[in-house]
Amino acid sequence: MTAPAAGGQATHNMQGIAVPASSVNPPLFFAKTRRHTLKEKAVSFASSLTGGSQNQDVFELRKSDILASVMVKFSGTLVVTGGTTNVSMRWPYDLLRAKFTANGASNVINAGGSQLKVREVMKRGDFNDRGVSQSLRGATVNQGSLASAAESWGVGAGASAIAAGSYNVELYWIVPVAEDEIDLSGGVFLATSTADLTLSLDWLPMNQLFSGGSATNVALTGTTTVVSKKFSIPIGTDGEIVIPDLSVFHSIISTRSTDIQNGKNEIRVLGQGGGKSLLRSWFQVWSGAGTAASPLAMNATNFGEQAWRYGNNETPDVFPDGQYLRELNERHFCCDIGGQWGFGCHDFASELEFRDAVDMSTTSDLRLLVDIPAGVSLTTPAIEYVTETIYTAGAAA
């Protein structure tokens, strides 16, 4: 939409920011822009099981260029002293939860670390974890860990009775501000003093990641570094700035629900509304109390029919069981996201980009159908699901 600006120049509203309409020229922008990778800030981190926790770091990113993504890198040391220490399946990636707001749109991204890790794998079919050895539940796995070779977990996820000692930890997460770094759909325009962008990093307390006897102490120290990937804004032949179409936001939102049990569950997807297109939704079912909670592996034993539904009873896709969905996801993403971490994904964007995206204004009452056979033992179960959407700047988040 355009409107006259001061001096009679028409403007285009993009993500709450008014820019000259004549500046929107995607072909010229992509011909002239340059990628910039910049360290925004590094801060110290310190958290322990017995001595308190570091709960949140907040970063306001520099106001320049067009933001495509943010990498969060943690480098540090895990020190275990005394007692018998067990490791939660939340370790290591759910140590972090990332929240992102931009130009008046709150809750653009709000997702756990493992959910962001699997999204990176799902988006990039050339990125996989095959051949990378990691320890899950005391066993060495060479695929399905979501890890890269450059990372170090320090101790294995779900490990029991880890030995006292000092362990190196190297972790990273990508916060995908733009849906795609080629066309920059959802990228954020920052080259104005009115731009407002905040990245909040919430850290899970150590007592939700580790457990053990009263003498146990677990301390995690290190440095958190935030690195941005941005694209410069070139100048056109008439002296005007040149930008791509940034009229949409890219959103990734995680929701947790305890309304799940054995049998056929219909989980209503939150955040539906006009102007939104659903690109994919992925989920895990967790079972167990406290640090003993673990995601159910996506297979035919733990999961029956998997589907999605809208309206009264419209069910476009039905997968026979969890094993079928697991195999289909591995074919799409070149990674076994369901075997170890129990992720299942309904994907509408990987193969045909936006052609099969679900219009959330016409598919009313969208639900995830999750069937858990009666023989599966559940303890305080919960489902955690993520919706990835593209929506116009005026639509509610």
Side-chain angles (χ1 to χ4, degrees), residues 36-214:
H36 295 156
T37 301
L38 302 169
K39 184 174 83 170
E40 296 282 338
K41 193 174 182 180
V43 298
S44 61
F45 178 96
S47 183
S48 68
L49 186 63
T50 59
S53 62
Q54 177 168 316
N55 291 324
Q56 187 182 75
D57 289 313
V58 179
F59 300 85
E60 185 175 352
L61 303 190
R62 298 174 189 172
K63 295 177 180 179
S64 64
D65 301 333
I66 294 172
L67 180 65
S69 66
V70 176
M71 174 187 282
V72 179
K73 182 76 164 61
F74 178 86
S75 300
T77 304
L78 179 73
V79 176
V80 180
T81 56
T84 301
T85 302
N86 302 320
V87 187
S88 165
M89 284 296 290
R90 293 290 183 185
W91 176 265
Y93 294 128
D94 283 336
L95 167 68
L96 173 72
R97 186 177 188 88
K99 299 177 181 178
F100 179 77
T101 63
N103 296 341
S106 62
N107 217 33
V108 176
I109 293 178
N110 186 343
S114 63
Q115 295 165 341
L116 292 175
K117 292 292 289 190
V118 77
R119 191 274 175 186
E120 184 184 7
V121 168
M122 291 189 295
K123 177 59 183 177
R124 297 181 54 192
D126 59 343
F127 178 80
N128 65 71
D129 54 17
R130 297 179 188 274
V132 178
S133 296
Q134 285 291 1
S135 176
L136 283 89
R137 303 179 184 88
T140 299
V141 300
N142 296 305
Q143 56 183 322
S145 67
L146 306 181
S148 67
E151 288 185 301
S152 175
W153 291 3
V155 295
S160 300
I162 60 175
S166 179
Y167 302 89
N168 292 329
V169 178
E170 294 280 339
L171 303 170
Y172 80 86
W173 301 263
I174 298 294
V175 182
V177 177
E179 191 278 332
D180 188 287
E181 293 186 7
I182 297 176
D183 63 23
L184 292 182
S185 295
V188 175
F189 183 81
L190 288 181
T192 173
S193 60
T194 59
D196 178 22
L197 187 149
T198 302
L199 175 68
S200 298
L201 305 180
D202 293 352
W203 304 101
L204 199 65
M206 290 294 103
N207 61 9
Q208 296 184 39
L209 293 166
F210 301 92
S211 64
S214 59

Side-chain angles (χ1 to χ4, degrees), residues 221-236:
T221 59
T223 301
T224 303
T225 304
V226 171
V227 178
S228 64
K229 183 184 291 186
K230 299 178 180 178
F231 289 82
S232 65
I233 300 175
I235 302 299

